[in-house]
Amino acid sequence: MAIDQEAIKKHIKGIIEALGDDPEREGIRETPERVARMYAEVFEGMNYTNDEIASMFSKCFVVPENGKHDMVVVKDIDIFSYCEHHLALMYDMKVTVAYIPKGKVIGLSKIARIADMVAKRLQLQERIGTDIAEVIEKATGSPDVAVYIEGTHSCMTARGIKKSTARTITTTFRGKFEKDMELQNKLLMMIK
């Protein structure tokens, strides 16, 4: 699915009019085009399924036999997304991804790229974690994946309840991370 920038321009112009402003006035005249370009960039992930993202970022390397049970953790991956309920920015988000390799490890930058691409959709923080875990599992072949996300939602900080210090934490545990509380606690201690 390609993002329809022409439709976005048309609708943004309509929103400007609905807000009571003149879409032809200086300063706003090019706003629909700028927003369309921005949306194509920040919602790029909507063009791809989780399977396609896993395929795009699946470059793996064989792991030495003596390291096949080690945990790989990439922590503090900065992402942002947009809440599907209000189209509001979810920001200052930090993602930690952990997995236990099954004979191969994925390139570390690929983990950050996966987190970025999954976030570039209309999302819920909970689904971001689920999608990242699914893509990591598909890309690495490991069912043992954990995703920890902490973030701020402007639908809570800038509007509505206006609680500027509220942070949302979500966890997604798969495989051994779901079943082994000691492994879960070890990971959570590493994150903190």
Side-chain angles (χ1 to χ4, degrees), residues 5 33-44 82:
Q5 291 189 47
E33 185 176 322
R34 286 191 292 267
V35 171
R37 284 194 315 267
M38 179 189 78
Y39 278 9
E41 178 184 338
V42 301
F43 294 120
E44 178 186 10
Y82 287 85

Coordinates of all heavy atoms in Angstrom, one line a residue, residues 5 33-44 82:
Q5 N -0.3 10.8 -1.0 CA 0.0 12.2 -0.6 C -1.0 13.2 -1.2 O -1.3 14.2 -0.5 CB 1.4 12.5 -1.0 CG 2.5 11.7 -0.2 CD 3.9 12.2 -0.5 OE1 4.1 13.5 -0.4 NE2 4.8 11.3 -0.7
E33 N 1.0 20.4 1.5 CA 2.1 19.7 0.9 C 3.1 19.2 1.9 O 3.6 18.1 1.8 CB 2.7 20.5 -0.2 CG 3.7 19.8 -1.0 CD 4.3 20.7 -2.1 OE1 3.5 21.4 -2.8 OE2 5.5 20.6 -2.4
R34 N 3.5 20.1 2.8 CA 4.5 19.8 3.8 C 4.0 18.6 4.7 O 4.7 17.7 5.0 CB 4.8 21.0 4.7 CG 5.7 22.0 4.0 CD 6.2 23.1 5.0 NE 5.1 23.9 5.6 CZ 4.7 25.1 5.1 NH1 5.3 25.6 4.0 NH2 3.7 25.8 5.6
V35 N 2.7 18.7 5.1 CA 2.1 17.6 5.9 C 2.1 16.3 5.2 O 2.5 15.2 5.7 CB 0.7 18.0 6.5 CG1 0.1 16.8 7.2 CG2 0.8 19.2 7.4
A36 N 1.8 16.3 3.9 CA 1.7 15.1 3.1 C 3.1 14.5 3.0 O 3.3 13.2 3.2 CB 1.2 15.4 1.7
R37 N 4.2 15.3 2.8 CA 5.5 14.8 2.8 C 5.9 14.2 4.1 O 6.6 13.1 4.2 CB 6.5 15.8 2.3 CG 6.5 16.1 0.9 CD 7.7 16.9 0.4 NE 8.1 18.1 1.3 CZ 7.6 19.3 1.1 NH1 6.8 19.6 0.1 NH2 8.0 20.3 1.9
M38 N 5.6 14.9 5.2 CA 5.9 14.5 6.6 C 5.2 13.1 6.8 O 5.8 12.2 7.4 CB 5.5 15.5 7.6 CG 5.8 15.1 9.0 SD 5.1 16.1 10.3 CE 3.4 15.6 10.3
Y39 N 3.9 13.0 6.5 CA 3.2 11.8 6.7 C 3.8 10.6 6.0 O 3.8 9.5 6.5 CB 1.7 11.9 6.4 CG 0.9 12.6 7.5 CD1 1.5 13.2 8.6 CD2 -0.5 12.7 7.4 CE1 0.7 13.8 9.6 CE2 -1.3 13.2 8.4 CZ -0.7 13.8 9.5 OH -1.4 14.4 10.5
A40 N 4.2 10.9 4.7 CA 4.9 9.8 4.0 C 6.1 9.3 4.7 O 6.4 8.1 4.7 CB 5.2 10.3 2.6
E41 N 6.8 10.2 5.3 CA 8.0 9.8 6.1 C 7.7 9.1 7.4 O 8.2 8.0 7.7 CB 8.9 11.0 6.4 CG 10.1 10.8 7.2 CD 10.9 12.1 7.5 OE1 10.7 13.1 6.8 OE2 11.7 12.0 8.4
V42 N 6.8 9.8 8.2 CA 6.6 9.2 9.6 C 5.7 8.0 9.6 O 5.7 7.3 10.6 CB 6.1 10.3 10.6 CG1 7.1 11.5 10.7 CG2 4.7 10.8 10.2
F43 N 5.0 7.8 8.5 CA 4.1 6.6 8.5 C 4.6 5.6 7.4 O 3.9 4.7 7.0 CB 2.7 7.0 8.1 CG 2.0 7.8 9.2 CD1 1.5 9.1 9.0 CD2 1.9 7.3 10.5 CE1 0.9 9.8 10.0 CE2 1.3 8.0 11.5 CZ 0.8 9.3 11.3
E44 N 5.9 5.6 7.2 CA 6.5 4.7 6.2 C 6.2 3.2 6.5 O 6.0 2.4 5.6 CB 8.0 4.9 6.1 CG 8.7 4.0 5.2 CD 10.3 4.1 5.3 OE1 10.8 4.8 6.2 OE2 10.9 3.5 4.4
Y82 N 2.7 7.5 16.4 CA 1.4 8.3 16.5 C 0.3 7.4 16.9 O 0.1 6.3 16.3 CB 1.1 8.9 15.1 CG 2.0 10.1 14.8 CD1 3.2 9.9 14.2 CD2 1.6 11.4 15.1 CE1 4.1 10.9 13.9 CE2 2.5 12.4 14.9 CZ 3.7 12.2 14.2 OH 4.5 13.3 14.0

